Amino acid sequence: MLNLKQFEIWFITGSQHLYGEETLRQVDAHSKIIAEFLDNAAPMPVRVVFKPVVKTPDEIYAICQEANVAPNCVGIVTWMHTFSPAKMWIRGLTILKKPLLHLHTQFNRDIPWGDIDMDFMNLNQSAHGDREFGFMVSRMRLNRKIVVGFWQEDAVVQKIAAWARVAVGAYELKTLKVVRFGDNMRQVAVTEGDKVAAEMTFGMSVNTHGIGDLVSVINQITDADVNQLVEEYADTYTLMDSLQKNGAQHSSLRDAARIELGMRAFLQDGGFGAFSDTFEDLHGMKQLPGIASQRLMADGYGFAGEGDWKTAAMVRILKVMAAGLPGGNSFMEDYTYHFDPANPLVLGSHMLEICPSIAAGKPSCEIHPLGIGGKEDPVRLVFNASAGPAINVSLIDMGNRFRLLVNEVEAVDVTEALPKLPVARALWKPMPDMATGCAAWILAGGAHHTVYSQNLTTEHIEDFADIFGVELVVIDRNTNLRQLKNELRWSETAFK
């Protein structure tokens, strides 16, 4: 599991020399107390590092420059304890490359009614000091997250913690390497996209390796390593009889293990954090990677089928954002509908590759025929996903921009046996209802591939869109199709 505590957000407080050394000492002390409180708060996934109060344009420029090149700094939090004239911030904000959160708070929760005097007022000026700073950031058209409230409130800490997770995800995406084994599925539109534009917008690099490059690595895996992984399969999952050591299809389990070990070695050696493949390009492979893709996702790699590199990248990034949280994140596909008026549902699945991090119980390791791909029967993990609130996230290329689409859903327990559907699956109700949710998704051009997340929220994706300056479309309990059509029209103008 990725340890997010290796990353930092810097707590930077603004003031000026006008108020004298005693006031500045108090500002510095108060800022350090707040930073230490946030650093020790249970929800905070990263380190919160106190930085001495900045009081001049040169100090501000220097700290922004330092943040840009600090390898573990993923963002900065700013707070104006006193009035900090915002022209001082122009040069620093101009060069800032890390995400920005503006915390609008004050050291004292309450006004000390009986004791308040002008000394107190001069020290505790966030109510208008932050507005001065806020104007400058808005004037400069810079995206940032704004959190308002007393710094010890749970809601304030939770919002900062959520943004910190997204800042780590953004940091990861800027250096993410995605490998495509073969091209994308032929004639499919939504899995295509402009990889150059993606690298310019997000930083991730997407490149193709022929399937033969992977096969050559798979063929180098030793029998001893295969034996060890097969034992791990038996200890971790419920193996169907034919896959047991003396079973008729045990050799297929060994083939699957060899594929996983080869893919893992290829990804590690190449420094790749995400990958895609397609059943139309498997030359030299005995079976489509099923359990291999599932287990690699469970270990934090991004994956999507049919060459869908955009979804593969987002699977990786959402897994990074959610590190340490209960629940999971998986490649997903809206597969088929249950149009019962009393209980409409979406069945989400894929041929093989759903991540076991979202499983409700112990997965079963099974082998069954696959009607497409023309290869031997693939091994896969079969399970039902857990019930509860979730989101589906889609990153799509609209030609002149990228659009992030989110649909909030409510997953339900899979109560039917589904004896003839040996794949991992999830059942959910899209918000605000089946008809509106599906129509809104189609109106917005949402892909059939998504990232399904049990532990992240729309707020995380909104923060992510703000950091990268990309369009966000949200389908939730309040979605109205007439209003959504207007929002999409407005976006066409805003991003033209």
Side-chain angles (χ1 to χ4, degrees):
M1 181 185 298
L2 182 65
N3 178 17
L4 299 191
K5 286 296 184 181
Q6 64 184 292
F7 301 105
E8 303 171 350
I9 56 176
W10 290 4
F11 192 84
I12 301 171
T13 305
S15 187
Q16 59 178 317
H17 283 295
L18 176 67
Y19 306 108
E21 291 304 314
E22 176 57 30
T23 296
L24 289 176
R25 278 193 292 270
Q26 292 181 74
V27 169
D28 209 63
H30 290 173
S31 300
K32 189 173 185 179
I33 290 171
I34 295 176
E36 290 177 349
F37 174 84
L38 294 175
D39 184 46
N40 293 319
M44 193 61 60
V46 302
R47 294 291 317 282
V48 179
V49 177
F50 163 78
K51 292 294 178 178
V53 174
V54 290
K55 306 167 290 297
T56 67
D58 288 343
E59 290 178 357
I60 293 168
Y61 184 88
I63 196 68
C64 290
Q65 193 173 47
E66 184 183 352
N68 283 341
V69 298
N72 294 331
C73 175
V74 298
I76 68 170
V77 177
T78 58
W79 171 49
M80 306 304 118
H81 193 324
T82 65
F83 194 80
S84 178
K87 286 174 64 177
M88 296 197 307
W89 287 84
I90 294 175
R91 281 198 299 136
L93 292 176
T94 298
I95 66 164
L96 182 65
K97 300 298 183 183
K98 297 291 176 73
L100 169 64
L101 183 146
H102 182 190
L103 177 59
H104 186 41
T105 190
Q106 63 185 28
F107 186 72
N108 293 80
R109 191 194 71 172
D110 302 325
I111 295 175
W113 303 107
D115 298 318
I116 188 170
D117 55 19
M118 282 310 302
D119 288 338
F120 181 93
M121 295 280 278
N122 284 333
L123 175 62
N124 298 282
Q125 298 186 59
S126 301
H128 76 298
D130 277 327
R131 293 169 195 261
E132 165 76 357
F133 176 79
F135 162 75
M136 198 67 255
V137 182
S138 295
R139 172 70 186 269
M140 297 176 70
R141 272 64 172 182
L142 299 179
N143 288 344
R144 78 284 200 190
K145 185 178 181 71
I146 301 171
V147 177
V148 179
F150 184 55
W151 51 277
Q152 291 183 349
E153 291 176 7
D154 288 343
V156 169
V157 175
Q158 291 285 358
K159 284 182 177 295
I160 298 172
W163 173 84
R165 289 184 173 278
V166 178
V168 174
Y171 182 87
E172 167 74 10
L173 186 54
K174 290 177 180 178
T175 57
L176 178 66
K177 294 173 63 178
V178 182
V179 59
R180 301 166 70 224
F181 296 119
D183 205 348
N184 70 307
M185 183 179 174
R186 290 185 284 275
Q187 305 297 334
V188 178
V190 77
T191 55
E192 292 279 8
D194 188 335
K195 295 185 285 294
V196 173
E199 189 159 353
M200 292 170 62
T201 302
F202 301 109
M204 62 178 175
S205 65
V206 184
N207 290 289
T208 298
H209 278 264
I211 200 71
D213 295 339
L214 173 60
V215 170
S216 67
V217 178
I218 292 173
N219 291 339
Q220 295 174 32
I221 300 302
T222 67
D223 288 342
D225 288 338
V226 170
N227 293 339
Q228 183 176 348
L229 184 54
V230 167
E231 290 181 8
E232 183 178 332
Y233 289 168
D235 292 339
T236 308
Y237 313 113
T238 302
L239 295 185
M240 66 186 303
D241 291 343
S242 65
L243 293 178
Q244 300 279 352
K245 191 168 186 179
N246 297 317
Q249 294 173 295
H250 182 70
S251 62
S252 293
L253 186 67
R254 294 183 60 82
D255 291 337
R258 195 178 302 276
I259 290 171
E260 178 185 334
L261 290 167
M263 295 182 80
R264 191 179 294 274
F266 192 101
L267 295 172
Q268 289 175 346
D269 291 346
F272 298 107
F275 68 102
S276 67
D277 59 29
T278 174
F279 61 86
E280 289 183 332
D281 194 352
L282 296 174
H283 185 72
M285 298 184 68
K286 289 188 174 182
Q287 57 181 266
L288 178 65
I291 190 173
S293 298
Q294 291 177 292
R295 284 171 49 85
L296 285 165
M297 269 192 288
D299 286 341
Y301 286 97
F303 168 80
E306 287 99 57
D308 187 353
W309 52 271
K310 297 188 296 298
T311 303
M314 290 304 296
V315 170
R316 166 62 181 173
I317 297 311
L318 266 64
K319 283 183 173 291
V320 168
M321 290 183 192
L325 294 177
N329 295 269
S330 177
F331 170 56
M332 187 59 71
E333 181 172 277
D334 294 63
Y335 229 103
T336 195
Y337 293 141
H338 184 60
F339 271 134
D340 178 358
N343 188 32
L345 297 167
V346 177
L347 175 62
S349 186
H350 204 251
M351 297 180 297
L352 305 171
E353 311 99 338
I354 300 299
C355 180
S357 66
I358 68 170
K362 184 178 182 179
S364 172
C365 184
E366 304 181 13
I367 183 169
H368 300 277
L370 186 68
I372 56 179
K375 293 293 181 177
E376 296 178 11
D377 298 345
V379 177
R380 81 291 301 268
L381 299 176
V382 178
F383 55 85
N384 295 323
S386 300
I391 56 174
N392 273 311
V393 182
S394 175
L395 176 64
I396 53 179
D397 187 342
M398 295 298 293
N400 65 332
R401 67 191 185 279
F402 290 96
R403 171 180 288 169
L404 266 171
L405 185 58
V406 180
N407 187 194
E408 298 179 358
V409 304
E410 184 69 29
V412 300
D413 289 321
V414 181
T415 57
E416 302 297 327
L418 302 173
K420 297 182 179 180
L421 187 67
V423 295
R425 57 263 171 156
L427 275 176
W428 65 78
K429 298 175 180 289
M431 297 293 122
D433 56 70
M434 185 79 157
T436 305
C438 292
W441 189 269
I442 291 171
L443 276 170
H448 57 283
H449 289 167
T450 63
V451 189
Y452 178 85
S453 177
Q454 297 171 324
N455 46 25
L456 298 176
T457 67
T458 298
E459 181 180 10
H460 292 95
I461 310 306
E462 180 180 4
D463 290 347
F464 178 89
D466 284 343
I467 286 174
F468 286 102
V470 298
E471 180 187 9
L472 175 69
V473 177
V474 176
I475 304 168
D476 59 14
R477 296 179 186 274
N478 299 315
T479 294
N480 173 280
L481 288 180
R482 185 178 295 114
Q483 181 66 20
L484 178 65
K485 289 178 183 178
N486 284 330
E487 291 176 6
L488 295 175
R489 293 187 187 105
W490 299 334
S491 289
E492 287 295 334
T493 299
F495 285 91
K496 186 167 291 184

